[in-house]
């Protein structure tokens, strides 16, 4: 009881030092509270957030990262409840006093100047792996699928229903990127700042470098000449050479970056800040950054499949805004709660219209929207707090998770719902499809989980592989924005040119101007180009 008295006493001391606006004054927290909080933090939190609070699989828990939690009770409540739609668990078994002690410790002042990570530290961290080369016997790059086994600390390379390789890499954040134009390598980021290069051509992990302390995402220019790593600690962008992982430049940022993504139609990248109403543009020839102002900070966004619009929300905002990328003028806005993550939308084409659907933060529904005419279409209850919605032209459904063991299948035709249970009693998240859409991969999100490989049309399991908290899956086609128009083209060809050959559709293209929209024609051309290339590969 004496220990808890000191915890509460320390909290009361802190509380009396809070101004009317909720900001702490100079009075320090009680040493007994800090000591108790540190001990509990190391026991319960350090595994994901690091002993020095600089973040591993979870974000940094340093005072500047927790500014929005002006009161300790508010922060302690989040520790108790966890964060929906993240990997953060609940800590209901800890007492109120214990959670307050942890909150006091992680809100304690920190000197961020000691958390620097420049070119010298990056170069010192580099590792060259001497693994032997091996042939993965890849049959079709369109079906290559890296899979992240988070708590297993591994990345798998799959094709169709087979595992071609596995390599060890801990704390993988997601957002695996392919290097173009040859797609000979993938680049894998970790939360704690490492970017690793795996060669698909040589079947091995080849290079890695720790490019910062806490990483946001990695991206590559469309010509494959430059790689970019965005960092939250320190706030910077690291420009590197994908060919050899040499560090080219470390560029300081002006705030907390949301993420950086390439525009596949031009030599440019785009990013936003979580804490500033700005959009940044990177020229991928010169690596210079220019900024333009917008109405409010953007935390989660996606770029439309034709590289024309930025569709964005703020975590605490109530509006979806669509910006024209060229002018940054708002072309559409509508009431909407925030999206759960970057690029949360999934797309499809039906009856002459383009659509997207997205889940929402802390909400038990998804919404459907029409693109380019920009209309709200429908809100669809899914029975729980979901994180992913995915689809492909090979399926009639949106594949949605809702935080339980249920797979929610939403019809793209009439929005009716079918429910299935991939593995009874085990949480399902995130469907991904092979490039041709014949295979669907489901993550069973438990320590004794699995990757379930399904026949997309038959909605039946083909095989499964044990996995410890499997998360992201990154198919070569489905995770590369340059292929989105081609996927639309599959739907358009089926919808408007049923039973017509590729040659017949190609011959009719000149007569379609004015009958189809520019987006429809562009999608058809990409589809026909892909089909022609496939035919050449399979012709003896």
């Amino acid at each position: 009881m004496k220990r808890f008295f000191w915890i509460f006493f320390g909290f009361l001391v802190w509380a009396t030092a809070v101004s009317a606006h909720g900001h702490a004054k100079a009075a320090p927290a009680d040493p007994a509270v800090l000591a108790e909080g540190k001990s509990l933090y190391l026991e319960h939190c350090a595994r994901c957030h690091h002993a020095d609070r600089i973040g591993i699989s979870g974000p940094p828990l340093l005072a500047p990262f927790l500014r929005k939690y002006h009161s300790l009770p508010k922060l302690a409540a989040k520790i108790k409840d966890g964060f929906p739609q993240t990997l953060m668990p609940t800590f209901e078994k800890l007492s109120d006093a214990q959670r307050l002690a942890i909150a006091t410790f992680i809100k304690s002042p920190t000197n961020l100047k000691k958390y620097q990570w420049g070119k010298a530290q990056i170069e010192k961290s580099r590792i060259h792996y001497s693994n032997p080369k091996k042939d993965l016997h890849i049959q079709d790059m369109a079906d290559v699928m890296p899979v992240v086994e988070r708590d297993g600390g591994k990345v798998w390379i799959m094709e169709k229903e087979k595992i071609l390789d596995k390599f060890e890499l801990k704390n993988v954040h997601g957002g695996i990127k392919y290097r173009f134009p040859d797609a000979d390598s993938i680049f894998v980021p970790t939360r704690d700042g490492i970017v690793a290069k795996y060669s698909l051509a040589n079947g091995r992990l080849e290079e890695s470098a720790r490019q910062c302390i806490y990483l946001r995402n990695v991206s590559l220019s469309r010509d494959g000449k430059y790689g970019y790593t965005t960092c939250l600690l320190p706030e910077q962008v690291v420009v590197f050479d994908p060919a050899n992982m040499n560090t080219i430049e470390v560029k300081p940022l002006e705030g907390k970056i949301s993420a950086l993504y390439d525009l596949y139609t031009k030599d440019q990248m785009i990013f936003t800040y979580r804490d500033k109403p700005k959009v940044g543009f990177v020229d991928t020839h010169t690596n210079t950054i220019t900024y333009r102002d917008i109405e409010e900070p953007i935390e989660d966004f996606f770029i439309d499949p034709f590289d024309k619009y930025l569709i964005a929300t703020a975590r605490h905002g109530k509006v979806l805004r669509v910006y024209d990328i060229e002018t940054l003028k708002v072309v559409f806005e509508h009431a909407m709660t925030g999206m759960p993550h970057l690029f949360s939308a999934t797309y499809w084409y039906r009856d002459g219209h383009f659509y997207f659907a997205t889940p929402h933060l802390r909400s038990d529904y998804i919404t459907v929207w029409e693109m380019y005419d920009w209309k709200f279409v429908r809100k669809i209850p899914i029975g729980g707090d979901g994180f992913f919605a995915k689809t492909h032209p090979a399926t009639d459904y949106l594949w949605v998770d809702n935080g339980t063991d249920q797979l929610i299948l939403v019809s793209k035709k009439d929005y009716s719902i079918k429910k299935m249970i991939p593995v009874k009693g085990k949480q399902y998240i995130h469907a991904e499809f092979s490039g041709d859409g014949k295979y669907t991969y489901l993550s069973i999100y438990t320590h004794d989980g699995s990757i379930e490989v399904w026949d997309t049309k038959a909605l039946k399991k083909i095989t499964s592989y044990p996995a410890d908290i499997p998360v992201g899956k990154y198919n070569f086609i489905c995770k590369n924005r340059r292929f989105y128009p081609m996927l639309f083209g599959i739907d358009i060809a089926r919808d408007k040119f049923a039973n017509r050959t590729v040659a017949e559709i190609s011959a009719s293209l000149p007569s379609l101007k004015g009958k189809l929209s520019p987006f429809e024609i562009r999608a058809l051309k990409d589809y026909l180009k892909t089909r022609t290339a496939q035919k050449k590969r399979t012709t003896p």
Side-chain angles (χ1 to χ4, degrees):
M1 291 299 294
K2 184 182 289 186
R3 182 182 69 176
F4 291 135
F5 168 80
W6 282 111
I7 291 172
F8 278 116
F9 178 76
F11 168 64
L12 290 173
V13 169
W14 184 92
T16 59
V18 175
S19 72
H21 297 290
H23 297 285
K25 293 181 179 179
D30 187 274
V33 176
L34 287 175
E36 179 73 7
K38 181 176 181 179
S39 175
L40 289 164
Y41 173 87
L42 292 173
E43 180 182 354
H44 297 287
C45 313
R47 178 173 176 268
C48 293
H49 297 280
H50 198 279
D52 293 329
R53 295 189 283 153
I54 60 176
I56 308 176
S57 59
L61 293 182
L62 302 168
F65 289 84
L66 300 168
R67 284 181 183 138
K68 65 182 177 181
Y69 298 104
H70 298 312
S71 76
L72 286 180
K74 182 179 179 182
L75 182 54
K78 294 307 298 182
I79 294 170
K80 177 183 178 181
D81 297 336
F83 285 76
Q85 298 171 315
T86 74
L87 305 178
M88 170 78 173
T90 62
F91 286 92
E92 295 176 328
K93 293 183 179 179
L94 296 180
S95 68
D96 290 341
Q98 289 174 316
R99 289 188 290 266
L100 283 168
I102 294 173
T104 303
F105 172 64
I106 63 178
K107 283 280 285 186
S108 60
T110 307
N111 179 12
L112 285 184
K113 289 184 179 180
K114 68 180 181 179
Y115 299 118
Q116 299 303 307
W117 202 263
K119 193 170 183 178
Q121 289 95 331
I122 296 170
E123 291 302 305
K124 188 177 180 180
S125 75
R126 289 178 58 178
I127 298 174
H128 175 76
Y129 300 91
S130 56
N131 303 316
K133 293 182 180 180
K134 58 178 174 290
D135 189 344
L136 298 183
H137 301 289
I138 293 171
Q139 302 299 306
D140 190 340
M141 271 299 298
D143 293 323
V144 169
M145 175 88 71
V147 175
V148 176
E149 185 186 4
R150 195 198 75 189
D151 280 23
K154 292 183 176 66
V155 177
W156 309 0
I157 307 297
M158 296 188 71
E159 183 184 6
K160 294 185 169 62
E161 80 282 14
K162 297 179 181 178
I163 298 175
L164 307 183
D165 194 23
K166 291 185 181 183
F167 61 94
E168 292 189 5
L169 192 64
K170 295 181 179 179
N171 305 318
V172 174
H173 170 44
I176 293 173
K177 299 298 193 305
Y178 293 81
R179 183 190 181 196
F180 285 87
D182 298 326
D184 55 348
S185 299
I186 58 172
F187 291 80
V188 187
T190 74
R191 281 281 192 190
D192 47 347
I194 293 171
V195 177
K197 176 184 178 182
Y198 178 92
S199 171
L200 294 168
N202 296 328
R204 64 182 183 181
L205 188 65
E206 295 192 333
E207 306 274 353
S208 71
R210 188 174 191 189
Q211 298 186 339
C212 55
I213 295 171
Y214 190 69
L215 179 149
R216 185 62 193 92
N217 83 315
V218 66
S219 194
L220 287 93
S221 60
R222 66 173 184 166
D223 59 8
K225 291 183 178 179
Y226 294 107
Y228 302 86
T229 301
T230 58
C231 308
L232 291 172
L233 186 65
E235 294 172 353
Q236 62 189 31
V237 173
V238 178
V239 186
F240 66 94
D241 185 340
N244 51 27
M245 296 295 291
N246 286 341
T247 305
I248 296 171
E249 187 179 2
V250 178
K251 303 172 77 70
L253 292 175
E254 300 178 359
K256 290 182 175 59
I257 195 166
S258 291
L260 176 74
Y261 290 101
D262 68 300
L263 295 175
Y264 68 89
T265 56
K266 61 181 70 175
D267 295 312
Q268 192 176 68
M269 299 193 126
I270 189 169
F271 67 91
T272 67
Y273 286 120
R274 297 176 178 181
D275 52 356
K276 291 189 176 183
K278 291 179 178 291
V279 177
F281 295 86
V282 181
D283 183 319
T284 59
H285 285 308
T286 64
N287 291 318
T288 55
I289 299 175
T290 57
Y291 292 96
R292 282 188 270 164
D293 295 330
I294 52 175
E295 289 187 36
E296 66 176 4
I298 291 172
E299 291 188 73
D300 293 306
F301 67 89
F302 63 93
I303 301 166
D304 84 290
F306 294 99
D307 256 8
K308 300 294 184 183
Y309 299 97
L310 182 72
I311 299 92
T313 63
R315 286 287 170 98
H316 297 285
K318 302 294 183 183
V319 177
L320 174 139
R321 288 191 176 94
V322 179
Y323 297 87
D324 181 296
I325 288 178
E326 289 293 329
T327 64
L328 283 188
K329 290 183 178 178
V330 176
V331 300
F332 175 74
E333 66 178 29
H334 195 284
M336 187 182 106
T337 57
M339 294 181 285
H341 56 90
L342 289 151
F343 275 82
S344 68
T346 191
Y347 320 98
W348 69 99
Y349 174 93
R350 179 172 57 84
D351 298 334
H353 302 284
F354 297 90
Y355 297 92
F356 78 85
T358 180
H360 295 270
L361 279 168
R362 297 176 292 277
S363 301
D364 61 354
Y365 57 83
I366 63 171
T367 53
V368 176
W369 307 74
E370 186 177 328
M371 292 192 289
Y372 310 122
D373 291 330
W374 302 114
K375 297 175 184 176
F376 170 74
V377 176
R378 186 171 297 212
K379 182 167 80 171
I380 304 171
I382 57 171
D385 191 2
F387 199 69
F388 291 102
K390 298 289 293 182
T391 195
H392 187 282
T395 177
D396 294 329
Y397 301 101
L398 308 177
W399 297 54
V400 185
D401 55 69
N402 69 358
T404 73
D405 60 358
Q406 292 182 340
L407 160 63
I408 308 299
L409 296 169
V410 179
S411 169
K412 290 186 286 188
K413 295 179 180 178
D414 61 12
Y415 306 118
S416 59
I417 284 178
K418 176 187 294 189
K419 296 180 180 180
M420 303 187 74
I421 298 179
V423 180
K424 188 173 179 58
K426 295 185 180 182
Q427 184 181 353
Y428 147 72
I429 65 167
H430 188 232
E432 189 54 276
F433 303 91
S434 57
D436 60 12
K438 292 180 180 178
Y439 298 83
T440 308
Y441 306 80
L442 311 177
S443 290
I444 304 304
Y445 186 68
T446 61
H447 287 296
D448 57 346
S450 60
I451 292 292
E452 303 287 308
V453 185
W454 279 28
D455 180 306
T456 304
K457 281 292 185 187
L459 296 177
K460 291 183 179 180
K461 182 171 79 171
I462 297 171
T463 188
S464 65
Y465 298 96
D468 188 354
I469 308 287
V471 282
K473 298 172 285 294
Y474 301 88
N475 173 254
F476 176 76
I477 295 291
C478 300
K479 284 295 186 181
N480 286 289
R481 294 182 53 257
R482 66 188 64 207
F483 297 123
Y484 289 176
M486 181 273 292
L487 293 172
F488 281 141
I490 297 172
D491 277 331
I492 295 169
R494 183 171 54 220
D495 190 19
K496 296 185 177 297
F497 300 95
N499 303 317
R500 302 275 290 275
T501 67
V502 169
E504 289 171 336
I505 299 173
S506 298
S508 67
L509 277 179
S511 65
L512 296 177
K513 190 174 182 180
K515 297 179 182 178
L516 298 182
S517 73
F519 293 137
E520 289 173 310
I521 292 174
R522 161 71 192 283
L524 268 179
K525 287 181 177 179
D526 279 17
Y527 163 71
L528 294 170
K529 181 180 177 181
T530 302
R531 284 292 306 274
T532 301
Q534 288 173 336
K535 188 174 181 180
K536 286 180 179 178
R537 288 200 301 269
T538 57
T539 300

